């Protein structure tokens, strides 16, 4: 069955859960105990692994220096290493990835680096991943948080996303990262319009046929808010998009995706339980 990755953002400005474990000040302290409690609750609600992020990737978000990103996530990672689960670290910075993997020590191979940089992947990231022997998630993206939505221009969105994912993957293969340790993410919401998101989702099976595990992240995203808008056209609030998220996650499971990334695991976990019972 498709696995569930629970989201734990220690940022002040993520679109759905920003500020829950960090003060509004960019350099404010992280509430480590609260973050640990949230991770435990994510697992209790059906998550199989936890993805920790210290830099918002919502469209328009400001970049975060590596020092500040590490200040946010390293204490949380250290606390979560005691949990019986796989940890994923959402970062585009090789220095941060290396710091987390160093902190994990002998457990580093069980950690996953989740890099949404796409075509802007830092030159040092493939070697960092290869040196530590960890798994890596590669997301299709054409820019950073401030520029990606200006680059959502395609003639054939599915074909071009697949071709660019292969280009993003190649430096990792060249660095010696085994293909089985590479996970691909089609990047819903990254350098794509709402209609382009739907087009990619209609063709998920083309991604699962590429020979890698596939991660899908649609949880509470803006295109779902638009779909569920009220009669006046006001998008549905992020926290009220869970049923639509779970429906798409069932679609991902049927397409053969390895995992889905969610803010609240329970609705998707329940849906997967029903799917398992039916099968």
């Amino acid at each position: 069955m498709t696995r569930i990755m629970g989201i734990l953002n220690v940022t002040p400005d993520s679109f759905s859960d920003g500020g829950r474990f960090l003060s509004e000040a960019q350099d404010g302290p992280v509430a480590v105990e609260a973050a640990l409690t949230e991770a435990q609750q994510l697992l209790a609600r059906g998550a199989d692994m936890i993805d920790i992020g210290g830099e918002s990737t919502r469209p328009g978000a400001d970049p975060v220096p590596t020092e500040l990103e590490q200040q946010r996530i390293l204490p949380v990672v250290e606390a979560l290493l005691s949990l019986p689960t796989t940890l994923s670290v959402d970062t585009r910075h090789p220095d941060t990835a290396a710091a987390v993997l160093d902190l994990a020590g002998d457990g580093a191979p069980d950690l996953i680096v989740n890099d949404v940089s796409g075509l802007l992947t830092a030159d040092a990231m493939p070697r960092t991943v290869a040196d530590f022997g960890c798994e890596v998630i590669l997301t299709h993206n054409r820019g950073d948080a401030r520029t990606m939505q200006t680059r959502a221009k395609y003639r054939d969105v599915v074909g071009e996303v697949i071709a660019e994912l292969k280009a993003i993957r190649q430096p990792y293969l060249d660095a010696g990262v085994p293909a089985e340790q590479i996970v691909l993410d089609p990047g819903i919401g990254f350098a794509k319009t709402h209609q382009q998101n739907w087009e990619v989702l209609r063709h998920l099976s083309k991604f699962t046929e590429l020979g890698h595990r596939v991660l899908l992240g649609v949880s509470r995203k803006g295109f779902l808010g638009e779909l569920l808008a009220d009669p006046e056209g006001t998008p549905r609030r992020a926290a009220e998009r869970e049923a639509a998220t779970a429906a798409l996650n069932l679609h991902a499971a049927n397409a053969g995706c390895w995992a889905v990334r969610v803010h609240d695991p329970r609705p998707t976990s329940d849906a997967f339980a029903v799917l398992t019972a039916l099968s």
Side-chain angles (χ1 to χ4, degrees), residues 200-263:
V200 170
L201 287 165
R202 292 184 190 105
H203 294 89
L204 271 185
S205 60
K206 292 187 176 181
F207 293 87
T208 57
E209 292 168 358
L210 293 175
H212 296 274
R213 290 168 294 160
V214 172
L215 170 72
L216 186 72
V218 299
S219 183
R220 300 181 179 177
K221 289 193 173 180
F223 76 107
L224 294 178
E226 179 186 65
L227 174 73
L228 304 172
D230 65 21
E232 286 72 42
T234 303
R236 178 82 59 85
R237 292 175 58 246
E240 297 175 353
R241 303 170 189 169
E242 286 297 341
T245 296
L248 276 179
N249 288 339
L250 278 178
H251 171 61
N254 283 325
C257 288
W258 163 72
V260 293
R261 186 174 179 272
V262 300
H263 292 87

Side-chain angles (χ1 to χ4, degrees), residues 53-226:
E55 178 181 51
S56 176
T57 56
R58 64 174 175 78
D62 291 327
V64 173
T66 55
E67 296 82 1
L68 180 54
E69 182 185 43
Q70 292 175 33
Q71 177 183 318
R72 292 173 177 174
I73 69 173
L74 289 180
V76 176
V77 170
E78 185 173 21
L80 267 57
L81 285 172
S82 62
L83 297 178
T85 190
T86 298
L87 300 182
S88 166
V89 178
D90 186 345
T91 182
R92 58 191 179 91
H93 301 294
D95 288 349
T96 297
V100 170
L101 293 162
D102 274 331
L103 180 65
D106 292 340
D110 296 327
L111 265 160
I112 303 172
V113 172
N114 182 8
D115 186 354
V116 301
S117 298
L119 294 173
L120 298 184
T121 298
D123 291 342
M125 189 65 92
R127 176 48 56 192
T128 299
V129 169
D131 287 346
F132 281 95
C134 63
E135 297 183 332
V136 63
I137 299 167
L138 307 180
T139 300
H140 176 267
N141 195 357
R142 286 180 164 180
D144 60 24
R146 293 174 299 179
T147 65
M148 61 185 179
Q149 293 310 106
T150 67
R151 301 179 181 180
K153 299 174 183 178
Y154 304 87
R155 292 181 181 273
D156 170 14
V157 63
V158 174
E160 291 175 52
V161 168
I162 288 173
E164 290 172 11
L165 268 176
K166 290 178 178 178
I168 295 163
R169 173 192 64 183
Q170 194 58 48
Y172 288 88
L173 295 174
D174 293 343
V177 179
E180 60 269 21
Q181 291 184 204
I182 296 174
V183 178
L184 301 181
D185 181 339
I188 300 301
F190 292 93
K192 296 170 190 67
T193 66
H194 291 177
Q195 287 305 313
Q196 289 163 352
N197 289 331
W198 287 114
E199 186 66 14
V200 170
L201 287 165
R202 292 184 190 105
H203 294 89
L204 271 185
S205 60
K206 292 187 176 181
F207 293 87
T208 57
E209 292 168 358
L210 293 175
H212 296 274
R213 290 168 294 160
V214 172
L215 170 72
L216 186 72
V218 299
S219 183
R220 300 181 179 177
K221 289 193 173 180
F223 76 107
L224 294 178
E226 179 186 65

Side-chain angles (χ1 to χ4, degrees), residues 19-37:
R20 291 186 62 197
F21 311 106
L22 192 72
S23 69
E24 292 183 2
Q26 286 284 322
D27 58 352
V30 178
V32 175
E33 286 300 320
L36 175 58
T37 298

